[in-house]
Amino acid sequence: MHPLPHELPGLFIALEGGDGAGKSTQASLLCRALEEDGRTVVRTREPGGTPIGEKVRSLVLDHGHGEIDARTEALLFAASRAAHVHQVIVPALTRGDVVVCDRYIDSSVAYQGAGRDLGAQAVLELNLWGTDGLRPDLTVLLDVDPAEGRTRRTSGKLDEDRLESEPDAFHTKIRSAFLDLARQNPERYLVLSASGTIDEIHTAIRDELARIPA
Ligand code: TYD
């Protein structure tokens, strides 16, 4: 059984994983399935999800804003997340909706904490403060091999954003950080290999959700 990490009536699901893991495909399938079950679903993503968040997304991801130091980057992601939680996620959970969020705090712990060497604990604390401690009911980690992730994401588009274009060594650190988080929080994590078929991964997520009390 999953102890619920918040008191709100809705269900909060986060999708996490390295770049090219297939989170967006799974988010679409999951949202459609939940809607067919009669749930009201809010699909959203980070960075983004609000007008402020989309501006921050462009600041941190587009090339051409000049150098961004690691702490500024972490604060920008955290600011985008705070706006997102307060303007979108908490109101949706309060209504009793299901929130399916493409990336959440664990992305910052992995990318800024491990990838940028700021430290997992410091980044976690910053984000817990920004979100007033809101944690997902379930985090699905799509575990992807960095080289495989790069092949997948570059096959569909020519340009990689600022984070994606970091070398494979950076993405390897991120992969281990996500796996560490999952090991430390087994009660709220479902870890799936991104090399499974789209259907296999979707079915595994649905099976896990069926185990969470409504
Ligand atoms: P994402 O939206 O998943 O990429 P895509 O444009 O392919 O859909 O994420 C954008 C990038 O931002 C991704 O490389 C991960 C990075 N990121 C962080 O570094 N920290 C964070 O807190 C978040 C949410 C994302």
Side-chain angles (χ1 to χ4, degrees), residues 24-212:
S24 316
T25 305
Q26 290 302 328
S28 302
L29 284 176
L30 178 60
C31 290
R32 197 187 317 144
L34 289 165
E35 276 164 0
E36 281 167 11
D37 290 347
R39 302 293 305 252
T40 302
V41 180
V42 173
R43 177 182 175 176
T44 187
R45 67 167 182 181
E46 293 194 351
T50 64
I52 288 179
E54 293 298 330
K55 286 225 159 80
V56 173
R57 182 179 180 89
S58 137
L59 276 178
V60 281
L61 296 186
D62 296 351
H63 298 275
H65 293 292
E67 186 113 336
I68 302 180
D69 66 275
R71 282 171 196 257
T72 303
E73 184 181 281
L75 286 162
L76 286 169
F77 279 116
S80 159
R81 179 164 299 123
H84 191 213
V85 163
H86 294 102
Q87 291 172 29
V88 177
I89 300 180
V90 166
L93 295 175
T94 305
R95 292 192 298 269
D97 297 351
V98 184
V99 174
V100 176
C101 189
D102 195 333
R103 298 194 181 281
Y104 190 59
I105 293 179
D106 293 349
S107 276
S108 281
V109 174
Y111 282 78
Q112 282 65 53
R116 300 291 195 216
D117 290 322
L118 290 176
Q121 196 55 32
V123 173
L124 177 64
E125 278 166 18
L126 167 69
N127 279 280
L128 287 177
W129 181 78
T131 61
D132 204 11
L134 182 76
R135 307 303 296 261
D137 297 287
L138 175 68
T139 299
V140 178
L141 171 60
L142 297 183
D143 176 46
V144 68
D145 171 73
E148 171 67 19
R150 192 177 294 276
T151 308
R152 289 195 196 198
R153 67 184 180 265
T154 45
S155 64
K157 56 179 183 171
L158 292 175
D159 300 329
E160 293 191 311
D161 67 39
R162 258 187 71 249
L163 278 296
E164 285 171 335
S165 59
E166 290 289 338
D168 281 357
F170 176 83
H171 292 282
T172 301
K173 279 206 252 182
I174 284 157
R175 182 188 195 187
S176 324
F178 274 130
L179 290 170
D180 283 348
L181 282 166
R183 268 192 293 272
Q184 287 157 19
N185 304 279
E187 71 294 342
R188 67 173 183 86
Y189 252 97
L190 172 66
V191 182
L192 299 170
S193 166
S195 59
T197 67
I198 291 175
D199 270 357
E200 281 165 357
I201 295 173
H202 175 61
T203 305
I205 297 172
R206 295 283 282 155
D207 289 349
E208 181 69 15
L209 281 176
R211 282 193 276 276
I212 297 184

